[in-house]
Amino acid sequence: MAQATNETIFPPPLVEGGQTFASITDTVCRIVEERPTLGWFAAFGVANVGLLMLLVSIAWLIWEGTGIWGLNNPAGWGWAIVNFVFWVGIGHAGTLISAILFLFRQKWRTAINRFAEAMTIFAVICALVFPGIHVGRIWAAYWMFPLPNQMGMWPNFRSPLLWDVFAVSTYFTVSLLFWYVGLVPDLATLRDRAKNKIAFYAYGILSLGWRGANRHWQNYERAYLLLAALATPLVLSVHTIVSFDFAVSLVPGWHTTIFPPYFVAGAIFSGFAMVLTLAIPSRKIFGLEDFITVRHIENMNKIILVTGTMVGYAYAMEFFIAWYSASEFEGFAFVNRALGPFGWAYFIMVSCNVITPQFFWFKKIRTSIAATFILSIFVNIGMWFERFVITMSLHRDYIPSSWDYYQPTAWDISTLIGSFGLFFTCFLLFLKFLPAVAMAEIKGVLPQADPHWEGYHKEHAKEAHHG
Amino acid sequence: MAGLHHKSFTDEPRLAPAVVKKAFVTALAVGGVGLVASAAALAMGDEVRRRFFFSYLAAFALVLTISLGALFFTIIHHLTRATWSAGLRRIAENFAGLMPVVAVLFVPVVLGIHELYHWSHEAAPLHDPIIGHKASYLNTGFFIGRAVFFFVLWSAIALFFRRNSVKQDETGDTSLTFKMRKLAPVSTLAFALSVSFAGFDWMMSLDPHWFSTMFGVWTFAGSMVVCMASLGLAALWLTKNGALTHTITTGNLHDIGKLMFGFIVFWAYISFCQYFLIWYANIPEETAFYLHRLEHGWGSMFKLIVVGHFALPFWFLMSRHVKRKRIGLGLGAGWMVLMHYVDLYYVIMPSNPDLHGMTFHWLDLTTLLGVGGIYVAFFVRQFGRDAAVAHRDPQLVASMEYDNA
């Protein structure tokens, strides 16, 4: 029957370029086994400079106190919380891809889940830096934990800031476990191919004696499913609790009931943009185009369109209800957000988060790799600004005489840039030492993995012929 | 999926006419008796009259949310190019296709606008500055205009998908699938906005001072729970009557159960967050809503919802065996339809200014039977006209083979 478009009823194959089991192993392992390229060293050097910047900024912060940041009296929360929420949000896409898409049996996830999960772990590490350092008095950082101080006083259990510590650390632990469990079969492959002793023992210990036995696979798949089922509510709870940090307060513009799902949608939105920002250069540099195909990129762009539109929906609801509530303070907070001194930030937020993804309505743009890369960076910027705009609800509080403007200092900026240094240092090390694509999983989605695959007859015939 | 199908569609695509006729007549009789009995209330004084409209609104909200959820299910099937749901699509299309019937069932709500919606009184915006502030949105003309717009929009979307789907039964034209996929994204967008505002208009504005940005999402979440439950019940009804016994597989029932479970959790998440944020911030204009619903006996219904709409089905439906057994899924789905009605009742009924606490009325039952009976009758009637399954859907065989056990 004539087809209206060039689409097909069933989706195209997940792996392109006639890859076989052996060629997948070769392509992925080569990245780890070969000497790093000059480009890798250059990138690693730049990332290290960033990391150093972060360390210096933190050292100066601990020495001098939070006064080195641009915080002032109404705006008592500045870039530290913005960066924290930004990085936690980035992490969410990794878990969405690895756990939620797994539960929904979305097999296209196999090409991207490994490094999306790696991204999650490094993003959460970056995020965890900020609550740790923003206390200012670093020797009191243990107050974040449910430990009584020398006066026998416990932290306030009703504070979402305390729940954040539980939620993020649980999330980090489960994400790490999930990632590691998924890595085990691939680590064993690297062990089996290792050419030097150090690699052999290192991968050998990490692969926990994996032999690819039937029993191993059965346990592995059961564990993977259970971890996916555990990670799913966890990932939703993390950004829900992050949203509680704001929404439980009495600050107009913060206290609104839609915050939890709105934050989760925004987190997934920003995380997918980051996955694309990382995947597009990586697939090119390491020759992974057969695995991370245009179809994968298009699917991710669709998720960006959906979640970006959800975020737009939340913006609209907030505005509508701010008016509908007839609350003078609610109404002012939103008018001030759009037209006040930080109107420029609001403009960046709306144009990057709501308008940018609308380009993905067009298939041409969705399937264009260059356009996707550029738009993904816009989304990253927009989502940072979203958190900035929300945090800056503080700058005009209930007492007009205390209104002020938030001006970041050089240390604010160096800490933010430095956190990217930390992230990319970790990410580049990951690319060098661990398989960036889940080899075992991607083999499972090849047509050859189906025991009834037609091609077997041909291959058997060939073998018989060679005899 | 590579064209190697081991199954083929062998069922009779239509439901036996005798089954349709019997169900139609029974449902119509129940609905007719219910409506006539309810209508008697209109002549029984102001208080009973007002009670009628509140009870009616709760029953109407139940059938509305079933159709809305089913509309979303149909759209999302095409949007995600799903395979597994191909065999169940027609059931959802039939629920969603009732949108014109639901629109007619809305007429009494418009007639009872003064009994239901305090803001619609001419004097209200003048004496109450908060209502005065939102009078440009909450006024009778705009309210009715929006309702007409919503029903036209939903009916247009629902009938577009249903008609093209039925057309494919005759022609087997694959391009119809592409046509439906093409309209799915924009339908999703229109659906999300219209459902939210319908929730604001018809339920949230019962208490015109109260507001919650989450309310639109809450309306959607409940709709999806009751949609999956109704889908499950309808699938069990069809197969029990010997129709589509090879098409609607155990795997399909299991997947309905899984999605119902997922949306129960989603509903709980949304409802909890809404309650929790209002409880925590403790601002009088927001807490008034829940405070009123925790006093005068309503608190026991609050507890029933926490346990019955979440805790109980959460543990019951978690098991794979329960979802794959007809009796297990049927019990779970039937219970969820009831609990969804309780949840709607809990939001709607306490706004009745005549009530001084949780009191039930025979009108609750008669309106539920009346509206529900008419709705079920028209739902069943569609199986008499068209096939019970989209039997020439190119994905149908794949959906029969698909089982995520």
Side-chain angles (χ1 to χ4, degrees):
Chain A
M1 195 41 71
Q3 288 182 1
T5 58
N6 53 359
E7 287 164 25
T8 49
I9 286 288
F10 294 106
L14 289 161
V15 182
E16 288 177 354
Q19 295 273 356
T20 61
F21 292 152
S23 71
I24 289 173
T25 309
D26 277 337
T27 316
V28 178
C29 290
R30 213 180 47 226
I31 306 170
V32 178
E33 288 161 354
E34 277 178 3
R35 244 186 83 80
T37 57
L38 221 62
W40 185 89
F41 277 112
F44 193 62
V46 174
N48 273 307
V49 172
L51 177 60
L52 201 67
M53 215 151 118
L54 179 71
L55 294 176
V56 170
S57 307
I58 292 175
W60 181 240
L61 174 79
I62 290 170
W63 179 261
E64 195 68 15
T66 46
I68 66 163
W69 289 340
L71 305 173
N72 56 40
N73 197 354
W77 251 5
W79 280 28
I81 188 78
V82 176
N83 296 342
F84 166 71
V85 181
F86 173 75
W87 280 117
V88 178
I90 296 280
H92 278 50
T95 320
L96 184 102
I97 292 168
S98 56
I100 299 181
L101 292 186
F102 176 75
L103 294 182
F104 277 100
R105 306 315 198 261
Q106 295 297 303
K107 289 185 174 154
W108 58 275
R109 70 183 263 292
T110 49
I112 46 171
N113 71 334
R114 173 66 45 72
F115 79 80
E117 281 175 63
M119 180 194 80
T120 294
I121 287 159
F122 307 139
V124 175
I125 291 173
C126 289
L128 281 171
V129 167
F130 290 96
I133 61 171
H134 99 284
V135 294
R137 299 170 189 171
I138 200 71
W139 51 93
Y142 76 94
W143 287 9
M144 292 192 297
F145 298 99
L147 294 168
N149 68 4
Q150 74 281 10
M151 310 267 285
M153 275 169 64
W154 289 76
N156 183 6
F157 280 97
R158 276 191 174 186
S159 165
L161 296 175
L162 182 73
W163 309 338
D164 251 351
V165 177
F166 301 151
V168 179
S169 52
T170 312
Y171 175 52
F172 180 74
T173 313
V174 172
S175 297
L176 192 66
L177 266 176
F178 195 29
W179 186 53
Y180 178 59
V181 167
L183 267 167
V184 167
D186 286 359
L187 288 171
T189 307
L190 281 173
R191 172 201 63 197
D192 297 343
R193 290 167 57 102
K195 297 242 164 50
N196 68 63
K197 273 260 146 59
I198 299 172
F200 177 76
Y201 281 109
Y203 290 125
I205 290 167
L206 287 173
S207 57
L208 305 174
W210 179 270
R211 291 288 177 281
N214 186 338
R215 182 189 283 254
H216 290 180
W217 279 111
Q218 284 192 8
N219 287 336
Y220 167 86
E221 300 222 325
R222 182 58 55 90
Y224 201 83
L225 178 65
L226 285 175
L227 281 169
L230 281 174
T232 300
L234 260 178
V235 65
L236 300 182
S237 79
V238 169
H239 232 63
T240 298
I241 290 171
V242 170
S243 82
F244 285 175
D245 292 348
F246 300 92
V248 297
S249 70
L250 292 175
V251 177
W254 284 9
H255 174 65
T256 172
T257 48
I258 206 172
F259 254 38
Y262 151 46
F263 265 49
V264 172
I268 293 165
F269 176 57
S270 68
F272 266 89
M274 190 57 111
V275 171
L276 283 169
T277 310
L278 297 173
I280 287 172
S282 305
R283 74 193 274 276
K284 187 94 198 147
I285 294 167
F286 300 116
L288 300 172
E289 284 105 328
D290 286 344
F291 309 125
I292 306 172
T293 64
V294 172
R295 180 184 162 204
H296 292 87
I297 290 170
E298 190 186 356
N299 280 356
M300 286 191 268
N301 284 336
K302 284 179 182 171
I303 293 182
I304 287 185
L305 175 58
V306 169
T307 48
T309 310
M310 282 181 186
V311 167
Y313 166 89
Y315 295 164
M317 284 304 137
E318 280 185 329
F319 248 91
F320 173 72
I321 296 289
W323 170 81
Y324 179 90
S325 70
S327 157
E328 154 180 17
F329 304 106
E330 258 329 289
F332 172 78
F334 282 92
V335 171
N336 183 52
R337 212 175 248 190
L339 303 172
F342 284 108
W344 58 272
Y346 187 82
F347 174 76
I348 294 177
M349 169 186 103
V350 170
S351 38
C352 291
N353 290 349
V354 185
I355 300 170
T356 305
Q358 305 309 322
F359 284 107
F360 290 138
W361 282 100
F362 305 102
K363 197 182 173 79
K364 250 215 167 83
I365 297 176
R366 259 190 340 250
T367 51
S368 153
I369 290 166
T372 301
F373 185 69
I374 294 165
L375 292 175
S376 78
I377 289 179
F378 273 107
V379 172
N380 285 321
I381 295 170
M383 282 310 290
W384 189 88
F385 271 95
E386 180 194 295
R387 280 64 174 249
F388 179 69
V389 165
I390 293 170
T391 306
M392 281 310 125
S393 298
L394 290 170
H395 87 113
R396 283 186 164 176
D397 61 0
Y398 291 105
I399 310 167
S401 64
S402 66
W403 287 2
D404 206 345
Y405 190 79
Y406 183 92
Q407 197 84 52
T409 64
W411 293 108
D412 276 314
I413 297 165
S414 69
T415 313
L416 172 61
I417 297 174
S419 68
F420 278 93
L422 170 61
F423 179 79
F424 281 106
T425 303
C426 295
F427 194 76
L428 286 162
L429 285 174
F430 155 72
L431 285 178
K432 182 64 206 79
F433 288 106
L434 292 170
V437 172
M439 294 182 272
E441 282 193 53
I442 214 156
K443 286 173 193 170
V445 300
L446 282 184
Q448 291 95 308
D450 183 350
H452 301 290
W453 180 52
E454 305 148 304
Y456 278 127
H457 305 297
K458 291 179 208 149
E459 281 189 10
H460 281 302
K462 232 191 290 174
E463 271 167 35
H465 184 73
H466 289 299
Chain B
M1 279 198 274
L4 277 179
H5 293 307
H6 307 291
K7 285 188 180 176
S8 53
F9 179 74
T10 49
D11 281 326
E12 164 59 42
R14 276 168 182 278
L15 189 55
V19 175
V20 177
K21 197 173 173 200
K22 190 180 149 214
F24 176 72
V25 170
T26 316
L28 199 65
V30 171
V33 169
L35 280 188
V36 169
S38 309
L42 293 172
M44 292 166 76
D46 284 350
E47 209 161 299
V48 182
R49 189 180 147 86
R50 194 200 289 274
R51 180 74 199 209
F52 162 78
F53 284 115
F54 272 92
S55 299
Y56 185 87
L57 182 63
F60 166 78
L62 175 68
V63 299
L64 169 77
T65 46
I66 296 174
S67 283
L68 283 176
L71 182 58
F72 187 73
F73 185 88
T74 311
I75 299 171
I76 215 79
H77 167 87
H78 294 292
L79 185 72
T80 58
R81 300 172 188 189
T83 300
W84 75 275
S85 46
L88 304 165
R89 219 181 72 212
R90 181 59 47 80
I91 305 175
E93 286 163 355
N94 283 351
F95 276 123
L98 291 177
M99 215 39 104
V101 177
V102 178
V104 173
L105 289 172
F106 185 70
V107 171
V109 177
V110 175
L111 296 176
I113 188 167
H114 293 311
E115 274 82 358
L116 291 166
Y117 303 100
H118 155 65
W119 53 259
S120 70
H121 296 263
E122 261 175 53
L126 302 173
H127 298 302
D128 185 333
I130 294 178
I131 295 179
H133 174 86
K134 40 188 121 179
S136 57
Y137 180 79
L138 289 184
N139 62 69
T140 310
F142 194 21
F143 176 85
I144 295 172
R146 282 195 302 271
V148 171
F149 174 73
F150 294 151
F151 282 117
V152 169
L153 177 76
W154 296 333
S155 303
I157 299 174
L159 295 180
F160 168 83
F161 284 107
R162 191 175 184 282
R163 283 195 185 138
N164 280 298
S165 173
V166 171
K167 202 161 139 196
Q168 197 175 46
D169 288 355
E170 292 156 18
T171 62
D173 187 352
T174 312
S175 69
L176 289 168
T177 302
F178 293 113
K179 192 176 162 191
M180 288 188 275
R181 282 179 181 177
K182 206 148 187 106
L183 209 77
V186 72
S187 305
T188 316
L189 209 59
F191 176 86
L193 284 171
S194 55
V195 166
S196 309
F197 282 96
F200 294 158
D201 282 6
W202 301 340
M203 290 189 273
M204 196 169 87
S205 86
L206 285 167
D207 184 345
H209 283 200
W210 187 71
F211 53 90
S212 167
T213 40
M214 188 78 111
F215 203 84
V217 188
W218 174 83
T219 311
F220 166 73
S223 302
M224 289 319 292
V225 172
V226 77
C227 157
M228 295 317 301
S230 310
L231 210 58
L233 291 176
L236 291 172
W237 174 69
L238 284 174
T239 43
K240 183 172 169 273
N241 285 298
L244 309 178
T245 42
H246 303 289
T247 312
I248 297 176
T249 61
T250 307
N252 288 160
L253 296 180
H254 187 191
D255 282 335
I256 292 177
K258 283 190 259 186
L259 274 178
M260 181 163 71
F261 176 82
F263 278 111
I264 289 169
V265 178
F266 179 67
W267 169 90
Y269 168 70
I270 295 298
S271 304
F272 168 75
C273 287
Q274 177 170 279
Y275 174 79
F276 174 78
L277 289 175
I278 288 173
W279 168 80
Y280 200 117
N282 208 6
I283 303 174
E285 57 255 46
E286 291 178 1
T287 49
F289 179 84
Y290 284 112
L291 218 51
H292 180 56
R293 281 164 179 74
L294 288 167
E295 285 169 350
H296 314 298
W298 288 111
S300 50
M301 197 174 266
F302 181 88
K303 285 175 198 147
L304 172 67
I305 291 172
V306 172
V307 175
H309 203 306
F310 173 64
L312 206 67
F314 179 81
W315 292 112
F316 181 68
L317 287 168
M318 189 178 271
S319 159
R320 167 180 181 277
H321 301 286
V322 170
K323 287 177 292 218
R324 289 178 82 89
K325 291 269 183 323
R326 296 177 60 89
I327 177 91
L329 185 75
L331 271 176
W335 176 254
M336 286 323 294
V337 173
L338 177 69
M339 277 300 119
H340 175 66
Y341 173 72
V342 171
D343 189 37
L344 293 168
Y345 189 94
Y346 181 73
V347 167
I348 291 169
M349 203 56 75
S351 291
N352 184 348
D354 299 333
L355 296 188
H356 304 289
M358 187 175 69
T359 42
F360 300 105
H361 200 279
W362 55 268
L363 277 167
D364 297 339
L365 190 68
T366 55
T367 50
L368 189 61
L369 291 177
V371 174
I374 299 292
Y375 185 80
V376 170
F378 280 93
F379 171 71
V380 169
R381 203 174 67 120
Q382 298 174 93
F383 289 98
R385 287 187 307 190
D386 303 305
V389 63
H391 57 97
R392 293 179 76 179
D393 184 319
Q395 288 158 294
L396 182 64
V397 175
S399 89
M400 291 157 62
E401 286 171 351
Y402 197 74
D403 191 355
N404 282 319

